[in-house]
Amino acid sequence: MTDPKPAKAPKAPADKAPAKPPAPPAAPAAAPVAPPAAPLAPPAPQPYAQQQPYGAAGYQPGVAPPPTNTLAIVALILGFVVPLGGIIAGHIALGQVKRTGEGGHGLALAGTILGYVFTALGVLGIIFYLVFFYALFSSGVLDPGTVI
């Protein structure tokens, strides 16, 4: 006759524990908050002879600045004295400074600007002078033959 009991599954060996499903990951614990630190006190002043210098003492040779373009200096002077000369010399000096890498770009630019400004003021002065005397002669106040 047959045994009416169903066959049983073999048991797991005793040395191995049955696998458990992995636990859900726990929320990370919040890091403890440190109390605010007290403000640092300034360091105690050192005697004058022992203070650390801001820079190294003495002359330290470095890269010498480029020489200043002579025509740039001339352009600045001419910008005051002969404005048209300041304009011309300033433009030439700007070209030389750009080409050779010399210093004096600001001087040449200032000479050029001063030349333009003084030339414009001179032209406006001449126009004002001509308009003033034209109005004076045309009004009849001052005729060319009138003796004052």
Side-chain angles (χ1 to χ4, degrees):
M1 242 181 126
T2 62
D3 193 13
K5 292 182 178 176
K8 290 185 179 179
K11 287 187 176 182
D15 60 344
K16 289 187 178 179
K20 292 183 180 178
V33 177
L40 297 176
Q46 298 177 359
Y48 180 73
Q50 296 178 359
Q51 285 183 348
Q52 297 296 322
Y54 287 105
Y59 174 74
Q60 292 184 346
V63 178
T68 303
N69 188 315
T70 307
L71 194 57
I73 299 169
V74 171
L76 181 64
I77 295 169
L78 286 177
F80 285 107
V81 180
V82 183
L84 188 58
I87 294 171
I88 295 169
H91 281 291
I92 294 172
L94 284 171
Q96 288 179 356
V97 166
K98 186 187 297 185
R99 187 179 70 247
T100 63
E102 291 178 310
H105 180 268
L107 295 173
L109 189 62
T112 305
I113 291 171
L114 285 172
Y116 279 121
V117 167
F118 285 135
T119 300
L121 289 175
V123 168
L124 287 175
I126 290 172
I127 290 172
F128 177 75
Y129 178 80
L130 292 175
V131 168
F132 176 74
F133 278 105
Y134 176 76
L136 195 62
F137 284 126
S138 67
S139 67
V141 173
L142 185 62
D143 289 329
T146 306
V147 177
I148 299 177

